[in-house]
Amino acid sequence: MPLVHNKVITIERHIIEQQERSDGATGDFSALLRDMALAFKIINREVMQAGLVDALGATGQENVQGEIVQKLDEFANTVIYRAMDHGGHLCGMASEENAEILPIPKEYRCGKYVLLFDPLDGSSNIDVNVSIGTIFSILKRVTPEDTPGELQDFLQPGYKQIAAGYTIYGPSTMLVYTAGRGVYGFTYDPSVGEFLLSHDDIRIPEHGSIYSVNEGNYHKWDAGMKRYIDWAKMDVPEEDKKAYSLRYIGSMVADVHRTLLYGGVFLYPADIKSYKGKLRLLYEANPMSFVVEQAGGRASNGQSRVLEIQPEKLHQRTPLIVGSPKNVDEVERFLNAT
Ligand code: AHM
Ligand code: MG
């Protein structure tokens, strides 16, 4: 993957250049992504100061400006909604944090897209200074324009996404997105307040030697899944395979981001407790699968391509196996062996 050294390209510039290359571009979509980048900057600012609020002696109820301190995930949810509700590009939003569709306020125009998002993924890591992220997915509405979005606008299979991506708040903050023409990564430069292109045309390695899964669930998995993990940890000389390494952060954004760059596989399979898996199809699995596929990877629920699942409800869950194409093939081989 070539790193960009010779040009400084902001995410805005990149989006506009991408848009100029596509037929029928109206500028609507660029403006939408630009608004989202602003929301991510605001969330980033808050995440970076998360520990400070307590350190500066706030009561837990109020911050240093005397404002109510919200939990970070609620804060991120509100920021995205408020940044996106008035641009005229969306006819509705859906968040992992809200049971129902979030409508566009009546005073604003309804646009032709819907936005689905997980405002702050990796909730168990929020309070311990470990990487967390925001995940987003954009679909074109299927109902008539200039009316409020309806459930059917959101319940579309993942291959219909027109853009998706994530922001990872880690040692540095990065925004990675695809609009269906490859995957691009931007690193946030706080000194200029911009996301700058740092990872051009990301391609996932065809095969990697890292597996990423919550292995504490081992005894809840079915036999095929257990056999795969046992095999992953072994040297298998006849297959010319060495034992894989295990890496598991517990923030999907961080685990998938590493998988995208280093190769390997990230899994959140079904188990006897969560027989449909844990991760949400619309807010987590679809957008991350779209990114990984666009980088040359694969995403499966064990039987079929994640992006072809027809969603039936907003908060539907799915098992997920995502990563380098050959690693996902390996997992499926074990899951489907009789
Ligand atoms: P969340 O949306 O409540 O944060 O849950 C999703 C997260 C993913 O980021 C991560 O892959 C997974 O849950 C970790 O789950 P577990 O703690 O069961 O390993
Ligand atoms: Mg989540």
Side-chain angles (χ1 to χ4, degrees), residues 96 118 120-124 214 217 248 250-253 255 266 268 278-279 284:
E96 201 195 89
D118 181 354
L120 218 47
D121 183 63
S123 40
S124 66
N214 184 344
N217 292 330
Y248 190 68
S251 288
M252 183 201 193
V253 168
D255 282 315
F266 168 80
Y268 212 112
K278 173 181 180 185
L279 300 174
E284 297 171 324

Side-chain angles (χ1 to χ4, degrees), residues 8-321:
V8 178
I9 301 179
T10 64
I11 186 150
E12 270 186 48
R13 184 74 245 148
H14 190 266
I15 293 164
I16 291 166
E17 282 175 10
Q18 286 258 309
Q19 173 133 357
E20 280 165 358
R21 279 189 231 142
S22 63
D23 298 334
T26 60
D28 215 20
F29 179 56
S30 322
L32 176 75
L33 284 174
R34 195 188 54 217
D35 291 350
M36 296 208 39
L38 173 65
F40 299 148
K41 288 179 197 174
I42 297 172
I43 297 168
N44 177 62
R45 185 196 62 201
E46 209 67 13
V47 169
M48 293 302 146
Q49 295 185 348
L52 271 181
V53 174
D54 287 338
L56 292 175
T59 60
Q61 293 301 311
E62 291 186 353
N63 67 15
V64 282
Q65 280 90 37
E67 297 156 344
I68 299 294
V69 176
Q70 281 180 291
K71 283 174 62 196
L72 267 183
D73 42 4
E74 289 168 11
F75 174 84
N77 201 37
T78 308
V79 166
I80 295 175
Y81 181 71
R82 295 227 179 111
M84 305 306 296
D85 69 353
H86 56 278
H89 315 297
L90 298 175
C91 62
M93 293 180 244
S95 163
E96 201 195 89
E97 296 284 320
N98 298 88
E100 309 291 340
I101 295 171
L102 300 168
I104 299 300
K106 288 200 169 50
E107 59 269 36
Y108 303 126
R109 195 172 77 83
C110 278
K112 56 185 177 199
Y113 300 106
V114 293
L115 169 68
L116 301 97
F117 59 95
D118 181 354
L120 218 47
D121 183 63
S123 40
S124 66
N125 284 324
I126 291 178
D127 292 331
V128 288
N129 208 5
V130 173
S131 297
I132 47 182
T134 299
I135 310 173
F136 66 92
S137 161
I138 298 168
L139 291 160
K140 203 165 208 167
R141 70 182 306 169
V142 291
T143 53
E145 285 196 20
D146 298 321
T147 57
E150 294 174 41
L151 196 54
Q152 51 185 305
D153 296 314
F154 296 85
L155 299 185
Q156 301 186 53
Y159 71 84
K160 298 217 164 149
Q161 291 170 103
I162 57 159
Y166 58 86
T167 303
I168 178 169
Y169 313 100
S172 62
T173 293
M174 270 191 82
L175 195 166
V176 175
Y177 91 100
T178 181
R181 292 161 176 256
V183 180
Y184 299 89
F186 299 78
T187 302
Y188 185 62
D189 182 339
S191 65
V192 291
E194 294 279 7
F195 284 102
L196 302 177
L197 183 62
S198 53
H199 295 63
D200 195 13
D201 195 14
I202 298 173
R203 304 297 300 165
I204 192 169
E206 229 185 305
H207 187 257
S209 54
I210 299 174
Y211 72 102
S212 183
V213 69
N214 184 344
E215 215 169 321
N217 292 330
Y218 184 92
H219 290 291
K220 298 186 210 141
W221 292 334
D222 69 16
M225 182 63 199
K226 286 179 180 163
R227 275 197 302 268
Y228 168 73
I229 295 296
D230 294 342
W231 174 86
K233 294 195 274 201
M234 284 183 334
D235 285 343
V236 188
E238 58 276 24
E239 295 180 42
D240 199 19
K241 173 193 169 288
K242 296 259 183 275
Y244 294 166
S245 292
L246 167 64
R247 296 279 185 276
Y248 190 68
I249 296 164
S251 288
M252 183 201 193
V253 168
D255 282 315
V256 173
H257 184 66
R258 182 200 54 248
T259 305
L260 194 64
L261 298 183
Y262 287 175
V265 64
F266 168 80
L267 312 99
Y268 212 112
D271 60 47
I272 49 169
K273 207 172 117 220
S274 320
Y275 66 101
K276 290 185 172 162
K278 173 181 180 185
L279 300 174
R280 314 281 177 155
L281 176 63
L282 294 178
Y283 313 106
E284 297 171 324
N286 270 347
M288 298 309 262
S289 299
F290 189 30
V291 168
V292 170
E293 280 200 4
Q294 279 293 313
R298 285 195 59 210
S300 162
N301 67 357
Q303 275 78 48
S304 51
R305 186 179 171 221
V306 168
L307 295 185
E308 282 173 22
I309 299 171
Q310 173 60 53
E312 280 157 16
K313 41 184 194 167
L314 274 181
H315 292 271
Q316 182 168 331
R317 296 173 195 268
T318 179
L320 179 66
I321 301 145

